């Protein structure tokens, strides 16, 4: 499925954004079969210029001359095949057919323009240089020259006494440029010489010049070049002559070489005469500096003359525009790149007419960009490259697709600076039709200046952020985003501007060194351009030393200075100097050492230093121009030398005194060169001028490879802990010896935070990236820098850092008391990104245990954030702390939280209401809760008191109980006292000090001085529910001297009296009066009687009638006892609960109002 989506995305992206192929299929509509070419015609002769076009009919052809349309007439006729016919060529001062012609082909798809054709009319002008008379010594060299302007170029021949001389003999050489050389002059060579120039139109003769031959001895003479090579510019495929005529005794040997040490083309070059170099069918590889060397045989005596050969090449398009299909409101970019010498000028045409540039249609260098496309932009576009050597065109079609179902523009665009060359751009998806977006197009350009080039980056629809990292430092940029769907594009988003950070300068200024005296050096430099300074300069640093001593002296100069004078130097000493520049970020790398020798002495007899001006002619040539100040010293010539920075010096070039310009060719692009020049007089060498210059970049294939070095490869990442990785890579294949550096970019995957993106600089092929977040996925890329150029980024390598032990404790630790001995602990996971928690450890202990170092440990899984603390003891303060851990290790513990358990926290309900206890251990009950508790308790107590009063009033007896005999039992007062005494049996039993037992039997009766109390085995509990009330008549008090009998109940004995439960609620079974087994458990062990014997027959079924009546004295007395007992308990509850409620109410009010 993932592969299908990727293929689907690539398919649509290809159709919408790149799509040259679809338009090429439909773009055979219009093209040229034959175009006009340069031609030369004779006056008054007919001329034909061919032009044929192919396309969808009807196709019309029109002609233009010098950019203006021609109208058909008798003099200008259009042939049916589209060619131009001129019956009779005109060539007068008023009217001439010379000029530049082009044909325009048009059909319904648009129009295209042909290449430019130059029409010339054959002619020859007067001689611009006639031969001059001369004298020559017998055996020496004689030379004549002439020059004429001709179209086409004329052929030059020479005549001696009006007789044509052969072009070449053993002694005579006629050069194609019109020079006649006569070696080893003889007496018969004297006479009248003239040159004849001939072309297809006419023939012209020069004035005559006489050669006089004298006889004289031949002294020994050093070699001297009397006619050296001259700088020459020729067109492609022409023939060039490099003359070199030298004299000397003995006769010198002439040799040729190139200044760049490249071999001379042996196939197209030959030596003519006695040392003239002729190169036929020249091309661009023949350009360069040629050295002519005249050497005395078998000696080291020689002299050198140099000249530069420049071959002009017609324009050629090396990158052609491609036809495109674009939706309305989209953007089209037509690339076009051309080469030629001189560099051609690029012009864009729309349907044969020059494109009108505006806010939507812009031209950046040679690229045409059309934004927010409209239907009128559907046309044929042509890139025309032209120079004085000719013109060439390449065409492309733009097809505009109409669609109304377009997405809305991307929203909320924002930019954040990352570094000096990178800005993070982020945006929100379109509000409408966002699901149909298949790609985003990011557009950016410099905000300052006019006609800045706009760049574009296309990315997929799976992200809404992008890092633009090929920006210039310290520059403002504007950005906008366009969303693309299969058949349309959105409008451009709002524009946003952002400024990149400053950086150290890219390089130092070019220095010019001049000595005005023997003890000083004057330095001059130009301010660095903004692209090179990469910010506002803060200072310059000049360092200098002598070549013999290593002690370096440094001087810091203000940022606005452009010159400095070093004084107090030693004469005739070589000094090494270099410069560095700084911004607020720091200092750049200083330049290489530049050498300069101070003059020997301050003498007015030697020439002063020339004023040198260097200017790049192209990427491989530099033009040097110089001037000398007016002075009395006669300059006999100049010495010029140059070398690439860090390379040895080239041979010295000797220049004539009348020469004030020189072209240095054969250089490498993007290199810094040092050029030195001085004037020579009879007194010796003059003062020297040193200057540096950098050649620009080329558009040639050689420079393209240098401009875009390959990126590093084999990028690998190895873990070095949870917060660091080791990154390594391999250097791509590149020329050795070049200094390279690398930039590493580290980005968390999916981040929109610019501060999280890091850049690292290094000169090695590995780097340690530290301070990373554990358990985080990162992407790493590397790029190479060499020769002030950068490679593309390498392939992205993804790597996830190892997890680390938690560095933060759990947060929001909270303890809640839910029962009298149980508390609930809750917490939140540690507040750190990408932390993995597999287990939580809870430590808790009372203060006493904590002081003894005894903690109780609980552990919970990492998915749980709660735990129960059980079996807590009242009256203690517990301390709780928690830590998180994983397979790597355990993190720190949280702060200790306290839980205070006070006495009396009895929770009797199944779901008691618990109070939250914080670290201070105080119950927090709000005011409303306390008020409700007090009101509820008061109402309940009032109701209970009223019920008790009602029971008391109804339970009063209607007659008095009087004292009786022994058979009637003890008096009522004693009975009441005994009952009240029995109610407190639970409190009295533990306090009895002397127990009295019946010695006659095995009674289990506990007695004291007040009489029998009850069974020792009676359980504790509520008296009303668990203890039975005896009939006062059947209960006697202990008295001294009386016998108390206890006997065990036997089967068949008299029944026991009814229990208190039966007295209150009635018998369990109304039909039976027998005692049950339960009465044995709750009743006394036996019955007391004054009679020694009892009748079983009468006792089994007997029950006093008064027991069953409420009006009886026993029932009334029992009700009175119960009422008083209940009232006593209610009063006890009221007395105990009300003070507690009032205490908590006062405590809450005190804490609310401290």
């Amino acid at each position: 499925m993932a592969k299908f989506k990727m293929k689907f995305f690539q398919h649509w992206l290809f159709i919408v954004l790149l799509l040259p192929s679809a338009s090429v299929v439909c773009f055979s509509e219009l093209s040229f079969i034959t175009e006009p070419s340069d031609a030369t015609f004779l006056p008054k002769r007919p001329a034909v210029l061919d032009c044929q076009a192919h396309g969808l009919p009807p196709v019309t052809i029109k002609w233009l001359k010098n950019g203006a349309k021609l109208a058909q007439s008798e003099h200008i006729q259009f042939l049916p095949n589209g060619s131009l016919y001129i019956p009779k060529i005109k060539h007068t001062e008023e009217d001439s057919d010379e000029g530049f012609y082009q044909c325009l082909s048009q059909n319904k798809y648009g129009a295209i323009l042909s290449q430019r054709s130059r029409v010339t009319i054959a002619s020859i002008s007067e001689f611009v240089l006639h031969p001059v008379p001369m004298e020559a010594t017998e055996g020496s060299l004689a030379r004549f020259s002439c020059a004429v302007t001709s179209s086409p170029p004329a052929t030059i021949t020479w005549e001696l006494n009006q007789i044509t001389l052969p072009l070449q003999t053993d002694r005579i050489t006629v050069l194609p440029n019109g020079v006649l050389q006569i070696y080893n002059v003889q007496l018969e060579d004297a006479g009248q010489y003239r040159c004849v120039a001939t072309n297809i139109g006419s023939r012209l003769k020069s004035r005559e010049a006489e050669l006089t031959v004298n006889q004289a001895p031949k002294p020994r003479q050093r070699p001297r070049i009397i006619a050296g090579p001259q700088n020459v510019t020729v067109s492609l495929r022409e023939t060039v002559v490099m003359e070199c005529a030298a004299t000397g005794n003995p006769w010198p040997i002439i040799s040729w070489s190139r200044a760049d040490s490249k071999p001379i083309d042996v196939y197209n070059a030959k030596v003519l005469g006695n040392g003239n170099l002729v190169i036929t069918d020249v091309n661009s590889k023949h350009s360069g500096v040629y050295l002519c060397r005249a050497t005395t045989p078998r000696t080291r005596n020689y002299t050198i003359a140099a000249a530069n050969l420049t071959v002009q090449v017609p324009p050629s398009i090396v990158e052609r525009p491609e036809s495109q299909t674009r939706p309305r409101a989209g953007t089209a970019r037509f690339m076009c790149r051309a080469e030629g010498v001189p560099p051609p000028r690029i012009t864009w045409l729309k349907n044969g007419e020059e494109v009108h540039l505006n806010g939507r249609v812009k031209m950046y260098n040679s690229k045409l960009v059309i934004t927010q496309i409209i239907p009128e932009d559907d046309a044929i576009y042509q890139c025309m490259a032209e120079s004085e050597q000719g013109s060439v065109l390449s065409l492309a079609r733009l097809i505009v697709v109409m669609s109304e179902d377009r997405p809305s523009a991307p929203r909320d665009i924002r930019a954040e600076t990352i570094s000096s060359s990178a800005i993070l751009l982020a945006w929100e998806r379109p509000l409408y039709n966002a699901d149909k977006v298949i790609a985003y197009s990011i557009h950016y350009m410099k905000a300052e200046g006019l006609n800045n080039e706009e760049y574009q980056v296309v990315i997929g629809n799976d992200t809404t952020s992008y890092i633009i990292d090929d920006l210039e430092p310290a520059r403002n940029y504007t950005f906008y985003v366009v969303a693309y769907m299969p058949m349309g594009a959105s409008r451009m988003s709002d524009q946003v501007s952002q400024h990149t950070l400053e950086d150290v300068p890219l390089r130092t200024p070019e220095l010019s060194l001049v000595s005005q005296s023997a003890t000083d050096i004057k330095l001059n430099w130009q301010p660095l351009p903004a692209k090179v300074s990469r910010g506002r300069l803060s200072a310059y640093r000049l360092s200098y030393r002598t070549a013999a001593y290593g002690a370096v002296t440094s001087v810091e100069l203000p940022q606005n200075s452009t010159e400095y004078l070093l004084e107090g130097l030693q004469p005739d000493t070589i000094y090494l100097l270099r410069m560095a520049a700084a911004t607020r970020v720091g200092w750049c790398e200083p330049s290489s050492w530049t050498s300069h020798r101070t003059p020997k002495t301050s003498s007015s007899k030697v020439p002063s230093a020339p004023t040198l001006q260097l200017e790049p002619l192209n990427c491989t040539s530099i033009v040097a121009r110089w001037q000398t100040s007016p002075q009395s010293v006669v300059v006999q010539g100049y010495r010029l030398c140059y070398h690439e920075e860090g390379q040895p010096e080239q041979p010295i070039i000797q220049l004539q005194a009348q020469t004030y310009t020189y072209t240095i060719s054969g250089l490498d692009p993007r290199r810094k060169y040092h050029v030195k020049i001085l004037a020579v007089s009879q007194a010796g060498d003059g003062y020297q001028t040193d200057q540096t210059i950098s050649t620009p970049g080329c558009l040639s294939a050689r420079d393209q490879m240098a401009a875009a070095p390959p990126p590093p490869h084999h990028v690998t990442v190895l873990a070095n802990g949870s917060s660091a990785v080791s990154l390594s890579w391999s250097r791509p294949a590149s020329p050795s010896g070049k200094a390279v550096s690398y930039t590493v970019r580290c980005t968390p995957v999916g981040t929109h935070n610019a501060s999280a993106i890091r850049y690292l600089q290094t000169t090695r092929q590995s780097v340690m990236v530290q301070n990373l977040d554990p358990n985080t996925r990162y992407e790493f890329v590397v790029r190479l820098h060499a020769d002030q150029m950068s490679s593309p980024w390498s392939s992205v390598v993804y790597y996830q850092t190892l997890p680390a032990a938690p560095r933060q404790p759990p947060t929001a630790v909270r303890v809640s008391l839910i029962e009298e001995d149980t508390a609930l602990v809750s917490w939140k996971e540690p507040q750190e990104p990408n932390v993995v928690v597999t287990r939580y450890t809870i430590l808790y202990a009372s203060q006493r245990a904590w002081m003894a170092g005894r903690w109780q440990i609980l552990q919970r899984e990492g998915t749980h954030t709660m735990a129960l603390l059980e079996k807590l003891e009242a009256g203690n303060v517990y301390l709780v702390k928690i830590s998180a851990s994983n397979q790597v290790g355990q993190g720190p513990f949280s702060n200790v939280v306290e839980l205070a358990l006070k006495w009396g926290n009895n929770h009797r309900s199944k779901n008691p209401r618990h109070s939250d206890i914080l670290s201070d251990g105080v119950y927090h009950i709000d005011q409303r809760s306390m008020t409700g508790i007090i009101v509820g308790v008061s109402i309940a107590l009032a109701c209970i008191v009223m019920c008790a009063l009602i029971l008391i009033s109804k339970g009063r007896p209607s007659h008095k109980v009087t004292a009786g005999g022994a058979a009637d039992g003890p008096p009522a007062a004693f009975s009441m006292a005994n009952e009240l005494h029995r109610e407190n049996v639970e409190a009295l039993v533990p306090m009895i000090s002397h127990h009295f037992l019946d010695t006659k039997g095995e009674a289990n009766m506990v007695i004291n001085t007040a009489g029998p109390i009850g069974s020792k085995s009676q359980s504790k509990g509520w008296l009303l529910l668990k203890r039975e009330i005896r009939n006062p008549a059947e209960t006697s008090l202990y008295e001294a001297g009386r016998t108390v009998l206890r006997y065990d109940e036997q089967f068949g004995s008299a029944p026991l009296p009814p229990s208190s439960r039966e007295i209150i609620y009635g018998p369990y079974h109304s039909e039976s009066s027998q005692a049950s087994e339960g009465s044995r458990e709750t009743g006394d062990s036996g019955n007391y009687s004054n009679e020694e014997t009892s009748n079983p027959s009468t006792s089994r079924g007997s029950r006093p009638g008064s027991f069953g009546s409420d009006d009886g004295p026993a029932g009334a007395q029992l009700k009175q006892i119960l009422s008083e007992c209940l009232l006593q308990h209610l009063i006890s509850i009221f007395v105990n609960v009300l003070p507690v409620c009032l205490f908590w109410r006062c405590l809450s009010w005190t804490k609310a109002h401290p």
Side-chain angles (χ1 to χ4, degrees):
M1 187 64 184
K3 292 183 178 179
F4 171 76
K5 289 184 178 180
M6 179 60 67
K7 291 183 178 179
F8 178 79
F9 169 73
Q10 293 176 348
H11 171 73
W12 278 114
L13 196 61
F14 175 78
I15 291 177
V16 176
L17 302 179
L18 301 179
L19 204 66
S21 58
S23 53
V24 170
V25 172
C26 64
F27 189 68
S28 58
E29 306 98 346
L30 198 58
S31 61
F32 283 110
I33 300 176
T34 304
E35 296 183 69
S37 58
D38 294 347
T40 301
F41 302 102
L42 294 173
K44 300 180 182 181
R45 298 288 183 90
V48 176
L49 296 176
D50 294 328
C51 182
Q52 294 182 6
H54 170 75
L56 190 66
V59 178
T60 61
I61 293 180
K62 299 179 182 180
W63 282 86
L64 294 82
K65 178 185 178 183
N66 297 330
K69 291 184 179 181
L70 291 175
Q72 192 167 2
S73 63
E74 293 182 359
H75 182 64
I76 302 293
Q77 299 177 16
F78 300 156
L79 300 181
N81 65 351
S83 298
L84 176 67
Y85 175 65
I86 303 176
K88 189 176 182 179
I89 292 292
K90 294 180 180 180
H91 186 51
T92 62
E93 294 182 358
E94 295 80 14
D95 189 10
S96 176
D97 290 326
E98 280 190 333
F100 295 96
Y101 289 80
Q102 292 173 285
C103 63
L104 180 68
S105 176
Q106 185 173 9
N107 66 359
K108 70 173 186 178
Y109 294 106
I112 58 176
L113 194 65
S114 72
Q115 68 182 13
R116 187 180 63 185
S117 170
R118 182 176 183 177
V119 173
T120 58
I121 299 175
S123 63
I124 188 170
S125 65
E126 294 294 331
F127 279 93
V128 295
L129 179 62
H130 290 271
V132 295
M134 68 170 301
E135 294 182 0
T137 304
E138 186 180 6
S140 65
L141 173 66
R143 178 181 180 274
F144 292 99
S145 63
C146 67
V148 67
T149 302
S150 173
S151 178
T155 301
I156 303 295
T157 59
W158 284 87
E159 294 179 353
L160 172 59
N161 298 327
Q162 299 182 1
I163 298 174
T164 302
L165 292 171
L167 294 180
Q168 185 175 5
T169 65
D170 293 339
R171 296 189 305 108
I172 298 175
T173 301
V174 178
L175 300 180
N177 60 353
V179 174
L180 173 63
Q181 296 176 347
I182 304 172
Y183 292 92
N184 193 16
V185 176
Q186 303 297 320
L187 293 176
E188 60 268 21
D189 293 333
Q192 300 292 327
Y193 289 84
R194 69 177 179 182
C195 68
V196 180
T198 306
N199 70 358
I200 61 173
S202 59
R203 188 168 184 265
L204 192 64
K205 297 179 180 180
S206 70
R207 293 193 297 264
E208 291 185 342
E210 183 179 4
L211 172 60
T212 303
V213 180
N214 301 321
Q215 291 182 342
K218 297 179 181 179
R220 188 173 183 87
Q221 186 181 10
R222 292 174 60 88
R224 183 169 65 91
I225 298 176
I226 61 173
Q230 302 296 316
N231 293 337
V232 60
T233 300
V234 296
S235 299
L236 195 68
R237 308 302 176 190
E238 290 185 352
T239 298
V240 64
V241 177
M242 308 287 285
E243 182 184 10
C244 186
T247 62
N249 189 15
W251 199 264
I253 298 174
I254 305 298
S255 62
W256 286 90
S257 63
R258 289 178 58 120
D260 55 9
S261 300
K262 294 180 180 179
I264 296 177
D265 185 4
V266 297
Y267 297 100
N268 298 89
K270 64 180 181 179
V271 175
L272 189 61
N274 196 29
N276 304 291
L277 182 65
V278 178
I279 305 175
T280 59
D281 194 22
V282 296
N283 53 44
S284 58
K285 70 179 182 180
H286 293 122
S287 296
V289 177
Y290 289 80
L291 304 177
C292 168
R293 177 169 175 165
T295 306
T296 301
R298 294 183 298 274
T299 67
R300 294 183 180 180
N301 297 328
Y302 68 89
T303 183
I304 292 178
N308 181 64
L309 171 61
T310 302
V311 179
Q312 292 188 335
V313 181
S316 62
I317 296 179
V318 296
E319 184 177 0
R320 298 180 177 274
E322 295 181 344
S323 298
Q324 303 178 25
T325 298
R326 288 290 182 268
R328 187 175 66 176
T331 299
R333 284 176 170 79
F334 292 103
M335 307 296 297
C336 183
R337 192 163 53 83
E339 290 182 346
V341 181
R345 182 175 65 92
I346 301 295
T347 305
W348 282 93
L349 306 176
K350 176 184 177 182
N351 290 335
E353 298 181 355
E354 190 169 347
V355 170
H356 175 65
L357 302 178
N358 52 37
R360 276 192 325 106
V361 182
K362 295 182 179 181
M363 182 176 172
Y364 306 108
N365 295 329
S366 61
K367 179 167 55 178
L368 180 67
V369 179
I370 306 173
T371 59
Q372 294 297 303
I373 292 175
I374 59 177
E376 289 75 13
D377 294 327
D378 193 319
I380 300 175
Y381 293 85
Q382 287 180 285
C383 169
M384 182 172 65
E386 58 181 347
S387 70
E388 60 187 35
Q389 294 296 307
S391 66
V392 63
L393 296 95
S394 182
L395 56 87
R397 172 85 185 278
L398 174 61
I399 300 175
V400 180
V401 179
M402 308 296 292
S403 176
E404 296 299 333
D405 189 17
R406 296 184 296 162
S408 58
R411 303 172 292 126
D412 192 21
I413 183 171
R414 53 200 181 275
E416 187 174 354
T417 300
I418 300 176
S419 67
S420 61
S421 61
I423 289 177
L424 173 64
L425 193 68
W427 61 92
E428 298 296 333
R429 299 183 183 275
L431 193 60
Y432 305 105
N433 293 329
D435 56 334
K436 298 181 180 179
V437 173
I438 63 171
Y440 292 99
S441 176
I442 300 171
H443 304 253
Y444 61 97
M445 63 184 297
K446 295 177 185 177
E448 297 95 350
L450 300 175
N451 200 30
N452 290 320
E453 182 175 2
E454 181 179 281
Y455 300 91
Q456 180 185 17
V457 178
V458 178
I459 63 174
N461 63 348
D462 56 345
T463 181
T464 56
S465 64
Y466 187 77
I467 299 174
I468 302 99
D469 53 13
D470 57 351
L471 308 177
E472 295 181 11
R475 291 295 187 99
N476 272 320
Y477 285 86
T478 59
F479 304 86
Y480 69 89
V481 183
V482 176
Y484 281 88
M485 59 181 292
M487 297 304 294
S490 71
R491 296 189 179 275
M492 56 185 291
S493 67
D494 295 335
Q495 291 190 355
V496 63
S497 296
Q498 189 66 15
H499 194 275
T500 54
L501 302 176
E502 288 188 353
D503 207 339
V504 296
L506 195 60
R507 59 174 175 83
T508 58
E510 311 289 357
L511 291 178
S512 176
L513 308 177
V514 176
S515 288
Q516 298 175 343
S517 68
T519 59
D520 64 29
I521 300 176
K522 185 178 182 181
L523 295 89
N524 295 87
W525 62 90
Q526 295 295 326
L528 290 175
K531 187 174 182 179
V532 177
S533 64
R534 305 205 290 187
R536 185 178 179 182
L537 293 179
S538 59
Y540 293 102
R541 179 185 293 161
L542 173 65
S543 302
Y544 64 95
R545 65 181 177 89
T546 62
Y549 302 99
V552 178
T553 303
S554 297
V555 180
E556 287 200 9
L557 308 175
Q559 70 273 15
N560 55 356
S561 57
T562 57
E563 62 179 23
Y564 186 73
L565 180 63
L566 280 176
E567 297 179 302
L569 305 179
Q570 301 175 10
D572 193 20
T573 303
I574 297 177
Y575 281 88
L576 302 179
L577 304 95
R578 68 181 181 184
M579 178 80 78
T583 60
R584 291 181 296 179
V585 180
W587 291 91
C588 71
E589 288 293 328
S591 63
S592 299
W593 292 102
T594 300
S595 63
H596 182 85
R597 180 186 290 272
T598 54
K600 293 181 180 180
T601 55
S602 298
S603 173
S604 60
K605 296 180 181 180
V606 297
S608 60
T611 302
L612 181 62
Q613 180 182 359
L614 300 177
E615 180 182 354
L617 179 63
N618 51 49
C619 61
T620 60
S621 301
I622 295 173
V623 177
R625 297 182 177 90
W626 61 89
Q627 293 178 350
T628 56
S629 58
Q631 53 191 343
S632 58
V633 180
V634 178
V635 176
Q636 295 181 342
Y638 297 94
R639 291 181 181 175
L640 184 143
C641 66
Y642 67 94
H643 65 92
E644 183 181 343
E645 187 173 72
Q647 301 296 326
E649 290 188 357
Q650 299 291 331
I652 297 176
I653 301 171
Q654 302 283 350
L655 301 173
Q656 298 178 3
Q658 294 79 20
T659 304
Y660 298 101
T661 181
Y662 185 80
T663 301
I664 305 174
S665 300
L667 308 178
D668 290 332
R670 300 181 185 272
R671 296 289 190 273
K672 180 179 285 189
Y673 287 88
H674 297 261
V675 181
K676 301 178 182 181
I677 190 172
L678 56 83
V680 180
S681 67
Q682 189 173 4
D685 295 345
Y687 291 175
Q688 179 177 284
T689 299
D690 298 82
Q691 192 169 336
T692 58
I693 187 172
S694 296
T695 54
C698 280
L699 296 179
S700 63
R702 178 183 64 174
D703 188 62
Q704 284 179 30
M705 291 186 294
H713 53 273
H714 298 147
V715 180
T716 58
V717 183
L718 297 177
N720 193 355
S722 59
S723 61
V725 297
S726 177
L727 200 68
S728 61
W729 56 89
S730 298
R731 176 176 175 174
S734 60
S736 59
K738 294 183 178 180
V740 298
S741 62
Y742 301 92
T743 297
V744 177
R745 188 182 74 196
C746 171
T747 308
V749 174
T751 184
H752 286 185
N753 183 11
S755 60
I757 303 172
R758 299 170 58 188
Y759 289 83
L760 290 86
Q761 307 289 335
T762 181
T763 56
R764 300 183 177 180
Q765 293 178 222
S766 63
V767 69
M768 182 72 69
V769 185
Q770 298 178 339
N771 299 324
L772 302 178
D773 292 333
N775 197 35
T776 303
R777 186 173 174 83
Y778 286 89
E779 63 177 31
F780 299 91
V781 289
V782 187
R783 79 177 349 167
L784 178 144
H785 308 280
D787 296 332
Q788 304 177 7
M789 293 168 288
S790 300
S791 73
W793 289 105
S794 66
S795 300
V796 178
V797 176
Y798 294 94
Y799 189 82
Q800 184 159 352
T801 54
L802 300 176
R807 291 175 291 183
Q808 300 291 332
T811 60
V813 178
R814 185 181 179 91
V815 184
S816 301
L817 186 66
I818 58 175
E819 292 185 2
E820 62 181 1
D821 62 346
T822 304
L824 176 66
V825 183
S826 62
W827 63 90
K828 294 182 180 179
E829 61 183 13
Q831 293 182 346
E832 56 180 308
N834 302 322
V835 64
V836 177
V837 178
T838 59
R839 185 176 65 253
Y840 289 101
T841 301
I842 304 103
L843 299 184
Y844 69 99
S846 63
Q847 284 187 342
R848 294 179 181 177
W850 169 72
M851 295 180 65
R854 297 192 303 272
W855 289 93
Q856 298 188 52
I857 302 176
L858 285 180
Q859 290 187 339
R860 294 292 181 267
E861 294 182 0
T863 57
H864 297 170
T865 56
M866 289 187 299
L868 288 176
L869 306 182
E870 299 177 323
K871 299 180 180 180
L872 304 181
E873 297 179 359
N876 288 326
V877 175
Y878 283 86
L879 309 178
V880 182
K881 60 181 180 179
I882 307 174
S883 71
S885 59
N886 55 22
Q887 64 270 23
V888 180
Q890 185 172 359
F893 279 92
S894 64
N895 294 330
V896 174
V897 177
E898 294 184 359
L899 172 65
L901 271 67
K902 296 187 177 181
W903 293 101
N905 291 332
N906 294 325
H907 299 265
R908 296 184 177 90
S909 65
K910 292 184 179 180
N911 298 306
R913 177 185 177 92
H914 69 273
S915 300
D916 293 339
I917 300 188
L918 301 179
S919 57
D920 55 359
V922 178
Y923 286 87
H924 293 279
I925 302 179
D926 56 7
Q927 183 176 356
R928 294 184 178 180
S929 300
M930 181 58 66
T931 303
I933 291 173
I934 295 175
V935 172
V937 170
S938 302
I939 294 174
L941 292 177
C943 294
I944 292 173
V945 170
M946 293 177 60
C947 293
L949 294 176
I950 292 173
L951 290 174
I952 294 173
S953 61
K954 288 185 177 182
R956 292 184 179 277
S958 55
H959 59 275
K960 292 184 178 180
V961 180
T962 58
D968 296 332
F974 290 101
S975 177
M976 179 63 68
N978 192 26
E979 286 296 331
L980 293 176
H981 187 67
R982 289 169 61 100
E983 288 179 4
N984 295 320
V985 63
E986 292 180 352
L988 294 177
V989 168
M991 300 177 63
I992 296 176
S993 56
H994 303 284
H995 292 181
F996 300 92
L997 300 178
D998 184 10
T999 58
K1000 294 182 179 182
E1002 298 178 357
N1004 193 20
M1005 179 73 66
V1006 178
I1007 58 175
N1008 60 11
T1009 55
I1013 296 175
S1015 174
K1016 290 170 59 178
S1017 63
Q1018 186 172 348
S1019 62
K1020 298 180 181 180
W1022 292 95
L1023 300 178
L1024 179 63
L1025 299 177
K1026 291 190 176 181
R1027 200 182 64 206
E1028 297 187 1
I1029 308 300
R1030 300 294 179 188
N1031 188 345
E1034 296 180 357
T1035 305
S1036 68
L1037 298 174
Y1038 172 79
E1039 295 182 9
R1042 288 185 72 171
T1043 302
V1044 179
L1045 299 179
R1046 178 190 180 282
Y1047 64 89
D1048 295 329
E1049 182 180 3
Q1050 302 294 332
F1051 180 78
S1053 62
L1056 297 174
S1059 65
S1060 59
R1061 188 185 302 270
E1062 293 175 352
I1063 294 173
I1064 298 173
Y1065 299 105
Y1068 293 110
H1069 304 283
S1070 57
E1071 300 297 332
S1072 175
S1073 59
Q1074 295 180 0
S1076 66
E1077 286 288 325
S1079 50
R1080 294 183 62 186
E1081 298 177 6
T1082 57
D1084 294 335
S1085 301
N1087 295 322
Y1088 171 77
S1089 175
N1090 289 328
E1091 297 179 0
E1092 292 185 7
T1093 61
S1094 60
N1095 189 0
S1097 61
T1098 59
S1099 300
R1100 172 180 292 271
S1102 64
R1103 182 182 180 184
S1106 58
F1107 281 61
S1109 175
D1110 293 339
D1111 296 332
Q1117 187 176 9
L1118 177 61
K1119 289 182 179 180
Q1120 183 177 1
I1121 294 171
L1122 291 176
S1123 299
E1124 292 178 356
C1125 178
L1126 181 61
L1127 179 60
Q1128 184 178 4
H1129 279 283
L1130 291 177
I1131 294 173
S1132 175
I1133 292 173
F1134 182 80
V1135 171
N1136 293 330
V1137 172
L1138 184 59
V1140 172
C1141 295
L1142 292 177
F1143 170 75
W1144 284 114
R1145 180 69 182 90
C1146 296
L1147 182 61
S1148 299
W1149 187 90
T1150 304
K1151 295 184 71 66
H1153 302 81

